[in-house]
Structure formats: structure tokens, C-alpha cells
Amino acid sequence: MFFNKKIKGIIGLGVLLLVAFSTAAIGQQGGMNFHFVVLGDTRPHGGANVITQPKEFKENIRAINLIMPDFVIDVGDLIHGYIEDEELIDKEWDDFDKTVAMFKIPLHMVIGNHDVWNKKSEDIYRKRYGDLYYSFDHKGSHFIVLDSEEFSPPGAMDYIKGEQLNWLKRDLEEHKDADNIFVFLHKPLWRFSNDETNWNTEVHPLLARYKVRAVFAGHWHVYEKSFARDGIEYFITGGGGAEISESRVMGGFYHFMLVSVRDKEVEYAVIEPEGVKDKNIVTQEFIQNVEKIAKGVVPVIDIHPSETIKEEVTHFLVNPFPQPIEVEIITDTSLAGSWKINPIRSKYLIPANDSIKATFCFSCEATQVFPLPSQKLKVYQDGKEIMSTSPKLKIKNEWFIKEWMVIGPFDLEWRGADRAKVPPGFDKVYPPEKEINLKKSYSSLGKKVSWFKCTADERGFVNLNKLFEPNDDVIAYALAYVYAPKRMKVALSLGSDDGAKIWLNDKLVFRKHIGRGAAPDQDVMIVTLEPGWNKLLLKIEEMYGQWGFYLRFSDTLGVLRYSVKKSK
């Protein structure tokens, strides 16, 4: 195993690769002709505390060794990470080092969010492997490795800015005469919106000015040839070994990329156990066409005031392809809850570049709205399944409480312990549980904290990560008032990251400690609202990572009102 001074890390895919290819396609490697491999997301499968590198990674290593490129670049997520135990973190890296020692060629590493997630993990990485962003030269070409995971200063993650951006400008200027320039990072920031990153507004124009040939990333466990822009090719190559969640036709297959350079001529190949694939095996255009089909099958129901829901939903099925497709819509009765959907199963043949309408009847009792049901959509082309998705029913007015008073953070006292064990702060009685005084401040974590108003985003999600600092190993409280014209039973639906407690009119109606990401309707309970204003208090814990919640009531009669304070 050859170690570059910056480090090692890479992945391959099936070991069944063509032996003939290793000689015929690679050819001689003299002069300025060379080959390199790119892959990413080679980390272990499963959750935290998983140390062993996946067999798919090891199979890739054997295949890459058969091809013998000049070097390999792994675009990040090399271990599972996201743990606090320093000894366990080192064990993960030790197993990674042991695995990549199987390589017969040099490796270069890019950090991913699973590799560096806080200051401790960054210090461990730097001590073992060196810089988080760097560059190197090979046979007249220049290679730039960026860090998309900077978490300091706050707001740097998913941005290339500050000192790193200044370094990138200097590095590009110093190597502007290179035959080719290639750039590598973990997250495909060019596919993020402009309010999530500065890639498309600052970084891409800079790379275009210096005639960068290609940019490679991972993070998404797929292969995708993104749209080329201003002469720059963009690739997502995240099928290196971690679990695959997308279907094969959507790029969900284990693979690596072989890049062949002959002076200023560059070719790209996608390699998996079955052989070499054309770079357009999965294009952004194909994915967008598939997404157009899916968009027409997100059932939105407009609930009219009633004790019993019975509404029609129409799907608009579009075929953007130049060939006919067959669409099958199936209701999974085991996941439909109390909902009844008619018809349960139906098939539609849609001509090329055409569309049809498909109508379904949805019905259920008012207090049994949550969880919302889903229908499975399958799309076939030439008898082969090209898409499978399960869109969940959406309610037109959503019913989420959008305005809250919040206060925090308070100490969760988790300290990186076993996530299954309830942290002391989860059940500790902090001031908001003793009194609600919106004008009062309290001392917490070395500073004063006070109530302030916040608004949920357009999805109904209250993002506590953006509201509080620190935002790991903490809890916060959220307060709202619900007006009911009469005594009524309703469903209260919560989605939270992480666990939560809920009090309704000072009575504890929900308590769950759990580590999870938030999604609507994860927990549903039937509660009774009293006539007039009802006090709703939430306590949301956060161990690490994202933090926030969704909350809504089943307002099928359209009579509930919400406020951040009792109104007359």
C-alpha cells in the first residue's frame, strides 16, 4: 500500500472486472498519459458504533488493483463516525487503515460529514492524516481537494468561503498553466440551492475562469452525470461501499469511475462488477424526467369541514419520455391506517409525451387522520421497472402550528453517553415547566436566555438548530396556545429530532426519549381540547446533529385557532 503524505482512502467495485480491460483500456502510462480512479462513500453500513469496513469496499479494492491506475481519490465518508467516544473513533480509523492497506496504488482522501463532524473528530483526523483541503500535481495535471464540511466559523458548512476560498483562488492562479485541473469535494454543492451554498454563485464562476475540466463529489449514494456547465463536467460518484437506497436506474449501484488522461484529452468511464458503462448511464435529464412523473402523484387532499372525511384526489400522470410507459398505483393496506382508498390498485398505459388523469377516493374518521397514508407508484418502460416511490398524502392547509414562543438552550447532560439511556436533562425541571413568564430571563449554560417568537418554515418545520447556540447536548422549550370553540377530541401529531415531552394544559400527554431525524407524524396521540384557549408546551431534546420539530392537530372542522399568547 502506497501512502500519499495527505493520506489514503478509496474504493472499488466488483472484483469481476474485466482482466482484458486492465491491459487493453489502460494502455501504456508513459509521458503525460495516465489514469486515476474516483469513488466515494465507502463507509460501513448501519448506524453509529459500526467499525468494520463493508465487503463492497473490499471488492472494489481488488477490482481497482486489477486495473492499476496511477492513484485513487476517495471523495469522503470513509468511516461511520458521529460518536463521542475517542477510543471508538480511533478503532474506526484503524479498521479503515487496515482495509486500505490492501491497495497497491497511492490514495488521496477527501473528508466527508461522517469523517469530521465536530472539533474532536477534526483534531483526530488532522493528527492522523493532515490537512482537510490541499492540492497536488501529477504528470502535468493539477488536483484540488476541498473541504465541504467546515463547521467553524458557524455557517461555513456547505460553503467554500473564508480562508479556504482565498486559498483556492491562490492555488488556481499558481497552477493556471496546468494541462488539466480537477476538483474534488464530498458534497455535490452544485446540486444545492443558492440559499444553501455559494457554489453556483462564487465557486463555479471561479473554476470556469481557470478552465477546470471536472468536479467530483459523493454524499449521495448514487452515480450521476450532472449537467456540464461552462466546459466543466460534474459527477456524483457515491457508490463506493455504503448502503444503496436508490433504484439501479436512478444511479443506485456500486461503482467507481476511471478517468483516463492523454495530454489534454480526458475520458470518463463508470465501472461496476459487470463491466464498463458509458458516462451517460444515468443522466440528470433522465432523473428529471422521472421526477416529473413523481410530481404528478403527490396526493393533495382538500378537506372540507366534516366529522368524516371523504374526498377525491386526482393524480396528473405525465410521460415526458419519447416512448410509452406503464404506471401502476398500489395502496399498501398495511400502511393505510384507518384510511380507505378506492381503487386499491390500478394500471395506466401512457403514450409517449402524453398525460392522463387518475382519480381516487380517500376517506376516514376525523380523529384518525394521522398517520397519513401513502400509495406506491411503479413506472415501467419496455417491461423494465424504471422507478418506484411511495408518495405520502398531503393535506392542503397542512394544519401545522407556524408561530411559537421558544426559549433555550438548557443543558441536556447527555455527554455522548449511550443514546438509548435517558439523559438527566430530559427529565430535569427547568423554569419553563414551573412558570410561563414571557418577560423573564433565566441563567443557562453561562448566559441569559429569554423567550422569543419564531416561525416554522414552509414545510411546518421549526428549525431549532438555527435559533440556538450551542445546539448539541441541549434542550429547548416551545409554547403555543390553541383555541377550541367547544370541548373536542382531536389527534395531535408530532415529528421531532430528537425526543420530546408535551404538556397540554399543564398535563403531560407525551414523553419519548429517542435519537432520530424529524419527519411529520412520527408520533400521534388523541387529546381533548377544552373550550377556549389551551396551553401547549413542548420540550425538545437534542443530542447532536439536526434539531427541530413538526406539530399539528387534526382540524377537520377548520375551527381551531393558534396564538403565541392567550387572546380574548
Side-chain angles (χ1 to χ4, degrees), residues 103-115:
F103 274 116
K104 299 177 181 178
I105 49 178
L107 305 173
H108 299 270
M109 290 168 58
V110 181
I111 66 158
N113 54 290
H114 279 262
D115 310 319

PDB file of all heavy atoms in Angstrom, residues 103-115:
ATOM      1  N   PHE A 103      -4.680  -1.786  -0.928  1.00  0.00           N
ATOM      2  CA  PHE A 103      -4.395  -1.125  -2.200  1.00  0.00           C
ATOM      3  C   PHE A 103      -2.927  -1.283  -2.595  1.00  0.00           C
ATOM      4  O   PHE A 103      -2.038  -1.254  -1.744  1.00  0.00           O
ATOM      5  CB  PHE A 103      -4.712   0.365  -2.105  1.00  0.00           C
ATOM      6  CG  PHE A 103      -6.140   0.717  -2.377  1.00  0.00           C
ATOM      7  CD1 PHE A 103      -6.931   1.279  -1.394  1.00  0.00           C
ATOM      8  CD2 PHE A 103      -6.690   0.494  -3.629  1.00  0.00           C
ATOM      9  CE1 PHE A 103      -8.244   1.606  -1.643  1.00  0.00           C
ATOM     10  CE2 PHE A 103      -7.999   0.820  -3.888  1.00  0.00           C
ATOM     11  CZ  PHE A 103      -8.797   1.384  -2.891  1.00  0.00           C
ATOM     12  N   LYS A 104      -2.717  -1.400  -3.896  1.00  0.00           N
ATOM     13  CA  LYS A 104      -1.356  -1.456  -4.430  1.00  0.00           C
ATOM     14  C   LYS A 104      -0.959  -0.142  -5.076  1.00  0.00           C
ATOM     15  O   LYS A 104       0.050  -0.075  -5.767  1.00  0.00           O
ATOM     16  CB  LYS A 104      -1.256  -2.590  -5.459  1.00  0.00           C
ATOM     17  CG  LYS A 104      -1.542  -3.971  -4.885  1.00  0.00           C
ATOM     18  CD  LYS A 104      -1.490  -5.045  -5.966  1.00  0.00           C
ATOM     19  CE  LYS A 104      -1.794  -6.419  -5.391  1.00  0.00           C
ATOM     20  NZ  LYS A 104      -1.781  -7.474  -6.455  1.00  0.00           N
ATOM     21  N   ILE A 105      -1.779   0.873  -4.895  1.00  0.00           N
ATOM     22  CA  ILE A 105      -1.567   2.177  -5.534  1.00  0.00           C
ATOM     23  C   ILE A 105      -1.795   3.277  -4.510  1.00  0.00           C
ATOM     24  O   ILE A 105      -2.434   3.063  -3.485  1.00  0.00           O
ATOM     25  CB  ILE A 105      -2.536   2.363  -6.722  1.00  0.00           C
ATOM     26  CG1 ILE A 105      -3.941   2.026  -6.270  1.00  0.00           C
ATOM     27  CG2 ILE A 105      -2.117   1.532  -7.909  1.00  0.00           C
ATOM     28  CD1 ILE A 105      -4.985   2.220  -7.314  1.00  0.00           C
ATOM     29  N   PRO A 106      -1.265   4.495  -4.751  1.00  0.00           N
ATOM     30  CA  PRO A 106      -1.449   5.601  -3.802  1.00  0.00           C
ATOM     31  C   PRO A 106      -2.912   6.037  -3.718  1.00  0.00           C
ATOM     32  O   PRO A 106      -3.660   5.951  -4.693  1.00  0.00           O
ATOM     33  CB  PRO A 106      -0.586   6.723  -4.393  1.00  0.00           C
ATOM     34  CG  PRO A 106       0.369   6.043  -5.306  1.00  0.00           C
ATOM     35  CD  PRO A 106      -0.355   4.861  -5.863  1.00  0.00           C
ATOM     36  N   LEU A 107      -3.290   6.517  -2.541  1.00  0.00           N
ATOM     37  CA  LEU A 107      -4.642   7.004  -2.294  1.00  0.00           C
ATOM     38  C   LEU A 107      -4.607   8.438  -1.796  1.00  0.00           C
ATOM     39  O   LEU A 107      -3.713   8.820  -1.047  1.00  0.00           O
ATOM     40  CB  LEU A 107      -5.340   6.138  -1.243  1.00  0.00           C
ATOM     41  CG  LEU A 107      -5.405   4.640  -1.514  1.00  0.00           C
ATOM     42  CD1 LEU A 107      -5.967   3.930  -0.310  1.00  0.00           C
ATOM     43  CD2 LEU A 107      -6.230   4.370  -2.747  1.00  0.00           C
ATOM     44  N   HIS A 108      -5.601   9.212  -2.185  1.00  0.00           N
ATOM     45  CA  HIS A 108      -5.798  10.569  -1.669  1.00  0.00           C
ATOM     46  C   HIS A 108      -7.208  10.636  -1.088  1.00  0.00           C
ATOM     47  O   HIS A 108      -8.148  10.118  -1.683  1.00  0.00           O
ATOM     48  CB  HIS A 108      -5.655  11.611  -2.775  1.00  0.00           C
ATOM     49  CG  HIS A 108      -4.302  11.613  -3.425  1.00  0.00           C
ATOM     50  ND1 HIS A 108      -3.263  12.390  -2.981  1.00  0.00           N
ATOM     51  CD2 HIS A 108      -3.831  10.915  -4.491  1.00  0.00           C
ATOM     52  CE1 HIS A 108      -2.204  12.184  -3.751  1.00  0.00           C
ATOM     53  NE2 HIS A 108      -2.522  11.282  -4.675  1.00  0.00           N
ATOM     54  N   MET A 109      -7.348  11.290   0.056  1.00  0.00           N
ATOM     55  CA  MET A 109      -8.630  11.307   0.754  1.00  0.00           C
ATOM     56  C   MET A 109      -9.252  12.690   0.765  1.00  0.00           C
ATOM     57  O   MET A 109      -8.570  13.705   0.880  1.00  0.00           O
ATOM     58  CB  MET A 109      -8.460  10.826   2.196  1.00  0.00           C
ATOM     59  CG  MET A 109      -8.161   9.347   2.309  1.00  0.00           C
ATOM     60  SD  MET A 109      -7.626   8.862   3.967  1.00  0.00           S
ATOM     61  CE  MET A 109      -9.010   9.400   4.950  1.00  0.00           C
ATOM     62  N   VAL A 110     -10.579  12.695   0.663  1.00  0.00           N
ATOM     63  CA  VAL A 110     -11.406  13.890   0.835  1.00  0.00           C
ATOM     64  C   VAL A 110     -12.262  13.632   2.075  1.00  0.00           C
ATOM     65  O   VAL A 110     -12.786  12.534   2.243  1.00  0.00           O
ATOM     66  CB  VAL A 110     -12.317  14.108  -0.388  1.00  0.00           C
ATOM     67  CG1 VAL A 110     -13.168  15.355  -0.221  1.00  0.00           C
ATOM     68  CG2 VAL A 110     -11.493  14.168  -1.666  1.00  0.00           C
ATOM     69  N   ILE A 111     -12.428  14.623   2.932  1.00  0.00           N
ATOM     70  CA  ILE A 111     -13.233  14.365   4.135  1.00  0.00           C
ATOM     71  C   ILE A 111     -14.716  14.536   3.828  1.00  0.00           C
ATOM     72  O   ILE A 111     -15.117  15.389   3.043  1.00  0.00           O
ATOM     73  CB  ILE A 111     -12.848  15.266   5.321  1.00  0.00           C
ATOM     74  CG1 ILE A 111     -13.174  16.733   5.040  1.00  0.00           C
ATOM     75  CG2 ILE A 111     -11.410  15.082   5.702  1.00  0.00           C
ATOM     76  CD1 ILE A 111     -13.312  17.555   6.278  1.00  0.00           C
ATOM     77  N   GLY A 112     -15.532  13.679   4.481  1.00  0.00           N
ATOM     78  CA  GLY A 112     -16.983  13.777   4.396  1.00  0.00           C
ATOM     79  C   GLY A 112     -17.572  14.096   5.754  1.00  0.00           C
ATOM     80  O   GLY A 112     -16.863  14.153   6.770  1.00  0.00           O
ATOM     81  N   ASN A 113     -18.881  14.298   5.799  1.00  0.00           N
ATOM     82  CA  ASN A 113     -19.540  14.651   7.052  1.00  0.00           C
ATOM     83  C   ASN A 113     -19.477  13.526   8.082  1.00  0.00           C
ATOM     84  O   ASN A 113     -19.579  13.777   9.279  1.00  0.00           O
ATOM     85  CB  ASN A 113     -21.001  15.043   6.802  1.00  0.00           C
ATOM     86  CG  ASN A 113     -21.770  13.993   6.038  1.00  0.00           C
ATOM     87  OD1 ASN A 113     -21.525  13.777   4.855  1.00  0.00           O
ATOM     88  ND2 ASN A 113     -22.710  13.331   6.694  1.00  0.00           N
ATOM     89  N   HIS A 114     -19.281  12.262   7.635  1.00  0.00           N
ATOM     90  CA  HIS A 114     -19.143  11.159   8.581  1.00  0.00           C
ATOM     91  C   HIS A 114     -17.717  11.063   9.127  1.00  0.00           C
ATOM     92  O   HIS A 114     -17.484  10.329  10.090  1.00  0.00           O
ATOM     93  CB  HIS A 114     -19.517   9.830   7.916  1.00  0.00           C
ATOM     94  CG  HIS A 114     -20.991   9.585   7.858  1.00  0.00           C
ATOM     95  ND1 HIS A 114     -21.669   8.803   8.757  1.00  0.00           N
ATOM     96  CD2 HIS A 114     -21.928  10.058   6.997  1.00  0.00           C
ATOM     97  CE1 HIS A 114     -22.956   8.780   8.460  1.00  0.00           C
ATOM     98  NE2 HIS A 114     -23.141   9.534   7.389  1.00  0.00           N
ATOM     99  N   ASP A 115     -16.778  11.787   8.534  1.00  0.00           N
ATOM    100  CA  ASP A 115     -15.381  11.731   8.951  1.00  0.00           C
ATOM    101  C   ASP A 115     -15.030  12.834   9.942  1.00  0.00           C
ATOM    102  O   ASP A 115     -14.280  12.618  10.894  1.00  0.00           O
ATOM    103  CB  ASP A 115     -14.464  11.826   7.727  1.00  0.00           C
ATOM    104  CG  ASP A 115     -14.852  10.841   6.642  1.00  0.00           C
ATOM    105  OD1 ASP A 115     -15.188   9.691   6.994  1.00  0.00           O
ATOM    106  OD2 ASP A 115     -14.851  11.222   5.455  1.00  0.00           O
TER     107      ASP A 115
END
